[in-house]
Amino acid sequence: MKTLAELFLAFARIGGLTFGGGYAMLPMLQREVVENKHWATEAELMDYYAVGQCVPGVIAVNTAVFVGSKVKGLAGAVAASLGVIFPSLAIIIAIAAFIQSFSELEFVQNAFAGIRVAVCVLIFSAVAKLYKKAIVDKFTFILFAAVFALSVFTKISPILFVIIAAVLGIIVHVFFLKGGKAK
């Protein structure tokens, strides 16, 4: 029961203090799940995050399900999910009651403009950390560059990128590298 409470509280903290959606929560997830609680490794968290993005639903909840499930099975998945959802639900209900009367105020619009900038920085920071862990050889760099370019210049679905990258990863590492790393 203690572990379930820890999962709920950790993900409630993450859900309540993360502004800007799933990508903005990555730095907090890394700190809490990997560094503080040791519920997952950096590689596992990246895998959970990648798969969480590819399946239907909110990436924050999907990632919470994966981490919670690893730590305490189905009960852990439920506790982590409820934890990440609860703060947002409470805040959204409170804001919804007042948003119409405040949304047109200039200071509110300016605050949102500042929040968007901060969220961009948080996302960039998370990407930089993931880049250092994910780009480990020539193949992963080439794959990164190709996916980046295609995602910027085309309208290909992110799901297709993930599927193709997974298939290429399997093919290259099994058939060409024999499980090793490119030089």
Side-chain angles (χ1 to χ4, degrees):
M1 196 65 166
K2 180 184 176 207
T3 305
L4 294 176
E6 287 177 354
L7 278 165
F8 178 86
L9 292 173
F11 277 93
R13 204 169 27 259
I14 291 167
L17 298 175
T18 302
F19 296 90
Y23 295 110
M25 79 183 310
L26 191 54
M28 280 190 78
L29 269 172
Q30 288 171 320
R31 190 170 37 257
E32 189 71 20
V33 171
V34 176
E35 296 169 17
N36 294 346
K37 300 291 187 180
H38 307 288
W39 286 331
T41 66
E42 188 81 32
E44 287 173 326
L45 183 61
M46 288 189 335
D47 291 344
Y48 297 156
Y49 216 72
V51 174
Q53 185 177 15
C54 298
V55 297
V58 180
I59 193 169
V61 176
N62 294 345
T63 305
V65 167
F66 291 133
V67 173
S69 180
K70 179 186 182 223
V71 174
K72 203 73 174 163
L74 180 60
V78 171
S81 298
L82 291 176
V84 81
I85 293 168
F86 178 75
S88 298
L89 182 62
I91 291 168
I92 288 169
I93 289 171
I95 290 173
F98 301 104
I99 190 86
Q100 290 302 320
S101 51
F102 294 112
S103 65
E104 298 301 319
L105 296 175
E106 187 176 343
F107 82 91
V108 172
Q109 291 176 356
N110 292 338
F112 283 136
I115 290 169
R116 284 190 296 271
V117 169
V119 168
C120 286
V121 171
L122 292 172
I123 292 170
F124 181 77
S125 171
V127 168
K129 287 179 183 176
L130 285 173
Y131 178 88
K132 290 176 186 174
K133 300 282 183 179
I135 310 303
V136 296
D137 55 26
K138 289 178 186 177
F139 166 72
T140 54
F141 176 78
I142 291 168
L143 186 59
F144 167 83
V147 171
F148 180 79
L150 287 169
S151 69
V152 169
F153 298 112
T154 70
K155 294 185 183 209
I156 297 172
S157 168
I159 294 171
L160 192 56
F161 287 133
V162 172
I163 292 168
I164 291 170
V167 170
L168 287 173
I170 292 168
I171 291 169
V172 167
H173 284 92
V174 169
F175 295 108
F176 297 103
L177 302 178
K178 308 282 188 232
K181 301 210 185 288
K183 301 295 180 221

